[in-house]
Amino acid sequence: MSYGYAGKILAMDLTSQKIQKTSTENYFDAELFVGGKGLGALILWRELKPHIDPLSPENVLVFSTGPLTGTLCPSARMCIVAKSPSTNTFCDSHIGGHLGSEIKFAGYDAIIVRGKSERPVYLWVNNEEVEICDAKHLWGLDTFHTEEKIRNERNDPTIRIACIGPAGEHLVKFALVNTERYRQAGRGGIGAVMGSKNLKALAVQGSGQIRIHNLESFIRVAKEAREAILENKTIRARRRWGTARSVLFSSDRDLFPTRNFREATFEAAENLSAEVFEKRFWVKHKACHGCPVNCGKLGVVRSGTYAGTVVEGAEYETASLVGANCGISNHEAIVYANMLCDKLGLDTISTGNVIAFAMECYEKGMLTTKDTDGLQLNFGNEEALIKMIQKIATREDVGNLLADGVKQYSEKVGEKTGAFAMHVKGLELPGWGVRAAPGMGLAYATADRGGCHMRAWTTRHEISGVVEIVKSQQDYYAACDCLVACQFVKDVVGKERYVQMLNAATGMQMTTDDFVKVGERIWNLTRLFNVREGFGRKDDTLPKRMLTEPLPSGIAKGQRLTQAQLDQMLDEYYELRRWSIQTGTPSKEKLRELELNPVNS
Amino acid sequence: MSYGYAGKILAMDLTSQKIQKTSTENYFDAELFVGGKGLGALILWRELKPHIDPLSPENVLVFSTGPLTGTLCPSARMCIVAKSPSTNTFCDSHIGGHLGSEIKFAGYDAIIVRGKSERPVYLWVNNEEVEICDAKHLWGLDTFHTEEKIRNERNDPTIRIACIGPAGEHLVKFALVNTERYRQAGRGGIGAVMGSKNLKALAVQGSGQIRIHNLESFIRVAKEAREAILENKTIRARRRWGTARSVLFSSDRDLFPTRNFREATFEAAENLSAEVFEKRFWVKHKACHGCPVNCGKLGVVRSGTYAGTVVEGAEYETASLVGANCGISNHEAIVYANMLCDKLGLDTISTGNVIAFAMECYEKGMLTTKDTDGLQLNFGNEEALIKMIQKIATREDVGNLLADGVKQYSEKVGEKTGAFAMHVKGLELPGWGVRAAPGMGLAYATADRGGCHMRAWTTRHEISGVVEIVKSQQDYYAACDCLVACQFVKDVVGKERYVQMLNAATGMQMTTDDFVKVGERIWNLTRLFNVREGFGRKDDTLPKRMLTEPLPSGIAKGQRLTQAQLDQMLDEYYELRRWSIQTGTPSKEKLRELELNPVNS
C-alpha cells in the first residue's frame, strides 16, 4: 500500500479527545474493500452496535477517500459514511470539490470520528499536525461564513473545509455537509451526525504527494479516460448545461415530480430548463478536482426580488424537488431557495419533498394556517417555501416538525397522509418518477440508504434505452438474417463469432462494425421498399386496444401503452435512424452513408 | 466468391418456363448485402414495380440462403422473400430444417421464381439438373402428403422439399410454406405467393460441397460458437423444453395474449406449460441442419379425442395464439389444431388471431351463428376452433372471409371492430403483449413486415432486463464508490479503465471481474448492516402513491407501478442476488463466495 493510498488512517474520539494514526495497510484488506464506500462500510460493520441512535455518540463518522482520489484520474472524490438519522440504515454520502484530494495530500486515506465533544469543536488537519479546536465562535454560523472565518483565521485561502450550518447544529434529519460553498454531501442527514458530535467543521491543509506504482501506464489510461469523457455526447451536453439539461427530457416523459409526485409532467418545465438558466443566470463553469466535465454552473440573479443571489445550480434534482414538486415556476425563487439550503445546510431533495408534502396536506385541509405558523402553504407559493426553509433549518415552530423528514412528519399529521408520503425507508425520493419507468421503483426499493437514485439509474435504459435496443437489435438481427442465422442463437453466438466465421468461410475481411452496418443497410433497404409502396410514419402504429384499453388483470393491471408514449418513442427512433420524423423516410445522408445510393437511384 | 457461397443463382420464369443460371458474383455485391434477407431485399427492390398485387405474376419469390448455410456454423438456415399479400410490404419469412443446406449442396445460393405457371407445377432441382414438373396430381394434397408423394415418386427419401397445402392453393393471406412436416416459413403469406404462381413445391437434391476459405480457423470458431451455445443457461432450458418454456414466464408477467389480447395473463397457463407438454406429449427432440439446440419437440397424443396426433410443438407462439388467445386450455386440442395448420398450410399465429377476433365479435354479438355457418364461436370452444381452421384453409363459406386476415375481415364485419383488430400493417400480432413491455410496441410498429417479434425483442430487457440492470449497476456503482468516482463519468470511463488506473496506481493486479465483485461485496456488506438493523424485504417497498395512483396526465397518463409488479421484480432481484426471497437476507453461500465470512462472523 505504498502506492495509490496515502498510507495512514486518522481516528479520533471526541469524547476522550484522543487522536490516533494507524497504517492503512494494517487497517483493512484493500483488495477486498478498496476504499471509499467499501472502507466506510467495513468500519461501520465492525464498530457499530446494532440499533444505536444515529445521533448518539455511538455513531461513527468516516470521511473516506479512495486510492484514485487526488490523482489524475478524472473526478475521484470522497464520501462521508455513518449510520443515517433519516433512515437508520447504512449511509454513504458523496461530496465533490477538492476536500478528498486535500485529505490524501495531508497523508490520510480516511478520517474516523467517534464519540461526542462536550463543546463545539472543529478539526484541524495540517499534514502531520492534527488538532481538535474550539468552535464556539463558529457555532450558529451558516456554512458560507464558517468556511470564510476558518480560512481568515488561519490566513490561508487554500484550506479545504467541510462544515455544517444551523440545520446540522439543530439535528435536522436531512442536514447536509457543505464544502466550497456549493458542494454538498447532501443525503441521509450526515450533517446532523456531525452536529450530534458537536463537530462544526473539518479543515484540511495537505502538501504531500501520492505515489503511483506505474506512472507511465497510469497517465496513459487517465488520459484515455479524459478523452473518452470529452468525446461523449451526453457529457458534452452536461459540460454546457449541467444536470439541469435533464429537466425537459424528464418532464416530457412523465418522470418529473410535480406537486408532491401527484403528477410527473410540469406545465412550467420550460421555465426551469437549462436554456433559461443559461440565458438568464449562469456566469461560470465549475469543476471538482481533476475533472474535465465542469458540470457545476455558477450563477447570479441580476435583478428583481432575488437580485444578488449567487449559487451553483440549480441542479436537476433541486429544480425538480424545490421547483416542480412544490409547484414553483420562477427559476429565480428556486435558485434563491437553493442558495438558502446550501447556506443553512439543508439537502434540497429532502427539503423540497417535505415542503411539498406539507403543501399537499395544506391543500387537502389536513393542515391549516394554525398548523403552519400562518403560512399559506399552497403549491406555487414561493414566499412560503422560503420562509419554511428558514424555519426548518433552526427547527423554529412548525419547522421543528418538518425537520424530522417526511416519514416522521407524516406520522404526526395523521395516518391518512401515509398515502402520499414520498419516501423509501425514510429517505425522501429524488427527482425521477417511477410510474413511467418501473425499474426506478426497484432501484428505490432496494437502495442501501433508502429512496436513492445514485445506486442504479435505469431511466435511460427504460426510456431512450428501449429505443436504442430496438434499433440495434433490428440492425444486428437483419445482419444475422443475411446469414439466415437462427433467432435462438443469434445473441449467444454473437457478432464477433459470426464475423469470424463469415471471414473464414468466404475470405472477406469484414469487421464487426461492417457486419452491423450490413444489417442497417438491409433495414434501410427494406424501409425504402415499404416507402415506395406508400408506407410511412402514419402506418407505424399499434392496434387500438394496446393504446386505449388498460389491462384488466394481472400484475400490470391498469397499464396500457399510450399514443403519446408511442409517438415519443417513434420520434426518438426516427431521429436515431436519421429518418424523417414527419414521414419516416430514410434521409439521403443516411442512404449515402450506407452506400445505398446506387440502389436508390 | 469461390468460398462460402455455392456460386450460382438459379432463376426461372414460370410464365415463359425459361430457366437461367447466373454467377452469384456477378449478381450482387456480397460485401454490401451478404445473402439471405439482404440478397432477397436487393432483388425485390430491383425487380418489383411499386404497388403490384402480391398475388399477381409480377411478384417475385426468392428462396435465399446465406454464405454460412450448409456449413458447420450452428443453425444457418434460409429464408423466402417476396412482397407480402398480408401487408403489401417487403417480407422475408425464415424456414428451418435442411432445405437451405440442400439448395447450397445443389450448387445455388438462391432460387428466384418469377411469373405464373398456367398449370400447377413443382420445381425439381437435382444439382445441375433443373426441371419445371407437372403437379396436377399434387394439387389439393396437404403438405404432409405432398412431401411424401414427391419422395416416393422419385424414390429418394433424402430429397428436401418446400411445399404449400390447400391454404396456399386457396390464396389464404396467411398461408405458409412447409418443409419436413413440421418446419415452416410461416409469416406474411408466402404460401399464397407460391399458390398464386401455381407452384406447389420446390424439391431439391444436392450432393456438392461448400468450399471454405480458411477451414482451420472456421472450424475453431464454429466449435467455439457451439460450445457457447451449449453453455448458455437460456439455451439449455430451450434444449429441454423448446419455446414452450416461455409460457409461464409470459403469463406471470402480463405478456401472454389471452382472449384476443383483451387480457395478458391466462388462468389456465399451467395447462400449456412446457412441463405439461414434456410429461404428457413429447417423445423426441428435433433440430435443424447443424444445430445443437434441438429446440423442436416431437410429440404424440396417446389417448382421448385427439389420440394419434403427431406434431412438433406446440411452440410458444402456437400455445399463446391458438391456445390462450382463443381461450383454449386443453393442450391436446392445441396440438391437434397445430398439426392441422401445418398440414393444411396455415400460419398458427395469424390463424389463432383471426379466430380469436371472430370469437370476440361473436361474444359481443357483432357476429351470430348466421355469420359463422352455425358455429358457436365462444372463447374456449375447441371444436369450433378446429372446424374454423378447416374452413379457412379451403376458403369454405365463412372461412373465405377469415382467410383474408384480421385487417380485411375486421373491415367487413364493421368499423367498430377496428378497436380490437390485433394487427400492425395487416400482420397479426405474435404472442407478446406490449402493455407490460412498451418496447415491444415500438418493435411491432416499426418492423419491416408488420407486427413481427423477430426484428427486435425487448421483452427480456424490459422485464428481467431491468432487474439485471439494477443489480449490475448497483454492483458496478458500489465498486466505483470505493474509488469514490463521480456518478457522471462512471459509465463513460468504464470498468476496464478504472481497473487499469487502480492497478497502475497501486500495483494491484485486479481484473474487471474482481472489481465488479468488490462492488457486489460492498453491496452485500451494506445489506448485512441494514439486516442487522432490522431491515428486510418488508421494507423494500415504495410510497403508496406510486403503487396505487395512476398518473393523471402526460404521456404515461393512467400508468402506475403495481404492487404485483414490484413483488415480481423483487422476487427476481433476490433470486439474482442469492438473497432469501422471503426475508431479503444474503445467503451464506453468497457471503462465502464474496469472502464476507470473516466479516459476518
Side-chain angles (χ1 to χ4, degrees), chain B residues 246-267:
Chain B
S246 301
V247 165
L248 294 182
F249 168 90
S250 176
S251 183
D252 285 349
R253 284 157 187 82
D254 262 18
L255 299 167
F256 201 53
T258 300
R259 284 174 280 270
N260 197 34
F261 287 85
R262 229 162 48 192
E263 293 138 83
T265 182
F266 187 42
E267 65 283 358

Side-chain angles (χ1 to χ4, degrees), chain A residues 205-389:
Chain A
Q205 180 56 278
S207 55
Q209 286 180 337
I210 299 158
R211 293 174 67 204
I212 297 295
H213 180 259
N214 182 338
L215 192 61
E216 198 183 340
S217 160
F218 185 81
I219 289 176
R220 183 179 48 76
V221 186
K223 213 176 143 190
E224 265 179 40
R226 198 184 158 86
E227 279 160 14
I229 287 170
L230 291 173
E231 274 166 22
N232 183 275
K233 204 180 134 192
T234 308
I235 290 190
R236 280 212 301 266
R238 181 158 291 151
R239 292 191 83 204
R240 176 164 173 190
W241 286 294
T243 54
R245 180 64 168 170
S246 301
V247 165
L248 295 182
F249 168 90
S250 175
S251 184
D252 285 350
R253 283 156 187 82
D254 262 19
L255 299 166
F256 201 53
T258 299
R259 286 174 279 271
N260 198 33
F261 286 85
R262 229 164 47 194
E263 293 138 86
T265 182
F266 186 41
E267 66 283 359
E270 290 277 351
N271 291 2
L272 316 186
S273 69
E275 286 71 11
V276 167
F277 283 120
E278 187 181 48
K279 253 187 229 149
R280 299 173 51 189
F281 182 60
W282 292 333
V283 293
K284 195 175 181 330
H285 302 293
K286 300 278 281 177
C288 299
H289 176 93
C291 181
V293 181
N294 56 242
C295 67
K297 308 295 158 210
L298 189 75
V300 56
V301 178
R302 290 148 213 183
S303 61
T305 317
Y306 305 102
T309 302
V310 176
V311 72
E312 269 181 49
E315 299 287 345
Y316 168 82
E317 294 294 333
T318 307
S320 64
L321 277 323
V322 173
N325 206 43
C326 293
I328 309 287
S329 54
N330 173 4
H331 79 280
E332 294 181 344
I334 293 166
V335 295
Y336 183 78
N338 189 353
M339 184 275 297
L340 215 50
C341 286
D342 293 356
K343 194 172 170 178
L344 300 172
L346 290 168
D347 175 34
T348 55
I349 298 180
S350 290
T351 305
N353 261 288
V354 72
I355 295 176
F357 171 81
M359 285 174 164
E360 181 158 359
C361 291
Y362 181 83
E363 291 207 343
K364 287 195 158 134
M366 294 160 149
L367 293 175
T368 68
T369 45
K370 278 186 210 159
D371 307 299
T372 65
D373 308 341
L375 291 178
Q376 292 188 326
L377 268 185
N378 296 93
F379 283 114
N381 184 344
E382 55 190 67
E383 219 175 302
L385 169 84
I386 288 160
K387 284 204 178 128
M388 194 55 98
I389 289 173

Side-chain angles (χ1 to χ4, degrees), chain A residues 559 561, chain B residues 254-255 433-442 458-459 462-463:
Chain A
Q559 263 171 232
L561 176 65
Chain B
D254 262 18
L255 299 167
V434 310
R435 284 170 284 187
M440 285 312 293
L442 182 63
T458 62
T459 307
E462 294 187 275
I463 304 297

Side-chain angles (χ1 to χ4, degrees), chain B residues 277-319:
Chain B
F277 283 119
E278 187 181 48
K279 252 188 230 152
R280 299 175 49 192
F281 183 58
W282 293 334
V283 292
K284 195 175 180 337
H285 302 294
K286 299 278 283 177
C288 298
H289 176 94
C291 182
V293 181
N294 54 243
C295 67
K297 307 294 157 210
L298 189 74
V300 56
V301 177
R302 289 146 214 185
S303 60
T305 316
Y306 305 103
T309 303
V310 176
V311 71
E312 270 182 48
E315 298 288 344
Y316 168 81
E317 294 294 332
T318 306

Side-chain angles (χ1 to χ4, degrees), chain A residues 225 362 399 532 575 595:
Chain A
Y362 181 83
R532 189 169 71 177
E575 202 180 330
E595 301 177 57

Side-chain angles (χ1 to χ4, degrees), chain A residues 3-5 31-33 35-38 44-45 48 51 67 75-78 83 87-90 94 213-214 218 221 228 232 238 243 254 260-262 360 419-420 423-425 435 438-439 441 445-446 448 454-458 461 466 470 473-474 481-482 484 486-488 492 500-502 504-505 507 510 521-523 526 528-530 532-533 535 539-543 545-546 549 551-557 559-562 564-565 569 599, chain B residues 3-4 31-33 35-38 44-45 48 51 67 75-79 83 87-90 94 213-214 218 221 228 232 238 243 254 260-262 360 419-420 423-425 435 438-439 445-446 448 454-458 461 466 470 473-474 477 481-482 484 486-488 492 500-502 504-505 507-508 510 521-523 526 528-530 532-533 535 539-543 545-546 549 551-557 559-562 564-565 569 599:
Chain A
Y3 297 103
Y5 295 88
E31 305 254 353
L32 291 183
F33 300 96
K37 175 175 189 156
L44 254 60
W45 177 260
L48 258 54
H51 309 300
S75 206
R77 319 187 304 166
M78 66 171 291
K83 180 172 171 179
T87 58
N88 287 304
T89 64
F90 169 86
H94 294 240
H213 180 259
N214 182 338
F218 185 81
V221 186
N232 183 275
R238 181 158 291 151
T243 54
D254 262 19
N260 198 33
F261 286 85
R262 229 164 47 194
E360 181 158 359
F420 53 89
H423 68 88
V424 170
K425 299 185 176 73
R435 284 170 284 186
T446 62
D448 54 3
M454 306 292 278
R455 304 294 175 251
W457 198 73
T458 61
H461 292 268
V466 84
V470 167
Q473 286 188 347
Q474 286 173 339
D481 286 348
C482 293
V484 221
C486 174
Q487 183 77 12
F488 296 160
V492 178
Q500 286 173 35
M501 284 192 274
L502 179 60
M510 247 189 224
R521 182 175 298 117
I522 303 312
W523 196 258
T526 59
L528 279 180
F529 183 95
N530 291 343
R532 189 169 71 177
E533 294 294 325
F535 290 94
D539 307 293
D540 293 348
T541 186
L542 287 172
R545 170 158 283 168
M546 295 305 194
E549 285 181 30
L551 280 172
S553 57
I555 68 165
K557 184 175 170 180
Q559 263 171 232
R560 65 197 167 107
L561 176 65
T562 69
Q565 281 177 309
M569 286 199 288
V599 173
Chain B
Y3 297 102
E31 305 254 351
L32 291 183
F33 300 96
K37 175 176 189 156
L44 254 59
W45 176 261
L48 257 54
H51 308 300
S75 204
R77 320 188 302 166
M78 67 170 293
C79 59
K83 181 172 171 179
T87 59
N88 286 303
T89 65
F90 169 86
H94 294 240
H213 180 258
N214 182 338
F218 185 82
V221 185
N232 183 275
R238 181 157 293 148
T243 54
D254 262 18
N260 197 34
F261 287 85
R262 229 162 48 192
E360 180 157 0
F420 53 89
H423 67 89
V424 170
K425 299 186 175 73
R435 284 170 284 187
T446 62
D448 54 3
M454 306 291 279
R455 303 296 174 251
W457 198 74
T458 62
H461 292 268
V466 84
V470 166
Q473 286 188 349
Q474 287 173 339
Y477 289 0
D481 286 348
C482 293
V484 220
C486 174
Q487 183 77 11
F488 296 159
V492 178
Q500 286 174 36
M501 284 192 275
L502 179 61
M508 287 181 189
M510 247 187 224
R521 181 175 298 118
I522 303 312
W523 196 258
T526 59
L528 279 181
F529 183 94
N530 290 343
R532 190 169 70 176
E533 294 294 324
F535 290 93
D539 307 292
D540 294 348
T541 185
L542 287 172
R545 169 157 283 166
M546 295 306 193
E549 286 181 31
L551 280 172
S553 56
I555 67 166
K557 186 175 169 180
Q559 263 171 232
R560 68 197 165 105
L561 176 65
T562 69
Q565 280 177 311
M569 286 198 289
V599 173

Side-chain angles (χ1 to χ4, degrees), chain A residues 391-440:
Chain A
K391 282 173 185 286
I392 291 170
T394 53
R395 287 186 174 269
E396 180 195 328
D397 302 327
V398 63
N400 189 37
L401 296 176
L402 274 72
D404 285 333
V406 162
K407 186 178 179 216
Q408 286 190 42
Y409 184 44
S410 152
E411 286 161 6
K412 273 177 196 143
V413 179
E415 207 190 315
K416 275 191 189 165
T417 65
F420 53 89
M422 305 310 292
H423 68 88
V424 170
K425 299 185 176 73
L427 191 69
E428 291 80 9
L429 289 195
W432 299 95
V434 309
R435 284 170 284 186
M440 285 311 293

